[in-house]
Amino acid sequence: MASCAMTTSEFAFTTVPNCSDESDTKVRATVGQLITRILPKKITSERRRDFRYPYPHLIYLTPIDATGEPLNELSTVVVGKNITERGIDFFHREPLPYRRVILTLEAEDGTRASLVTDLLWTRFTRQGWYDNGGRFLHVLTQNGPC
């Protein structure tokens, strides 16, 4: 990340309502732009639906409770692993008890994107970390979601 001196209070969010079907298009466009800034070329052919890019960057994670309220006081930093236009996987030291989170990604030039993410799976690694993966649902803007 361009500035490691930032605090999680810079990423305080308000309520996170559900968005329309246009969210997928906006998510893919926003993350695609971020990927282009980080890694402009594809590395190898990919057998999966979406091409995975290495994403060895720090990510701000803000949990969302069952009512859709962001839990800003529980924001933390996780370590990115891979990213696609539709989803991401990352490492975390503790198990995450939340299904939905806000992930704030940042490119080296300071461009940020905050995305509501549905966590779909987790694996415990031999090294003592948790490998988590999820699908991006929608982009949060300064004025709210979408």
Side-chain angles (χ1 to χ4, degrees):
M1 294 181 124
S3 174
C4 293
M6 290 182 226
T7 64
T8 55
S9 63
E10 290 184 56
F11 301 99
F13 299 97
T14 57
T15 59
V16 183
N18 291 329
C19 293
S20 69
D21 292 336
E22 296 174 8
S23 293
D24 185 56
T25 303
K26 187 165 185 175
V27 164
R28 293 188 71 193
T30 301
V31 177
Q33 290 172 1
L34 195 65
I35 290 169
T36 301
R37 291 173 187 268
I38 295 166
L39 191 68
K41 297 179 183 177
K42 289 185 176 183
I43 296 174
T44 60
S45 61
E46 177 65 50
R47 62 179 167 79
R48 297 180 182 200
R49 180 176 176 184
D50 294 322
F51 187 82
R52 291 183 297 167
Y53 297 89
Y55 192 78
H57 301 277
L58 300 178
I59 302 165
Y60 287 95
L61 180 146
T62 302
I64 300 172
D65 69 15
T67 65
E69 295 295 319
L71 302 171
N72 294 308
E73 67 279 1
L74 297 178
S75 292
T76 188
V77 176
V78 298
V79 180
K81 180 179 175 187
N82 293 305
I83 191 169
T84 73
E85 289 182 346
R86 295 177 199 260
I88 192 164
D89 64 325
F90 58 88
F91 295 107
H92 191 259
R93 291 288 298 172
E94 312 270 330
L96 295 171
Y98 305 98
R99 176 71 187 250
R100 297 257 165 107
V101 296
I102 299 168
L103 297 179
T104 300
L105 313 174
E106 186 173 7
E108 284 81 8
D109 66 1
T111 303
R112 290 185 193 159
S114 294
L115 300 113
V116 175
T117 306
D118 187 26
L119 297 181
L120 301 172
W121 56 268
T122 188
R123 277 190 294 260
F124 186 71
T125 68
R126 289 185 212 170
Q127 296 81 12
W129 287 72
Y130 290 85
D131 186 3
N132 303 271
R135 186 172 194 271
F136 298 131
L137 299 178
H138 55 269
V139 178
L140 295 179
T141 63
Q142 294 289 355
N143 302 326
C146 304

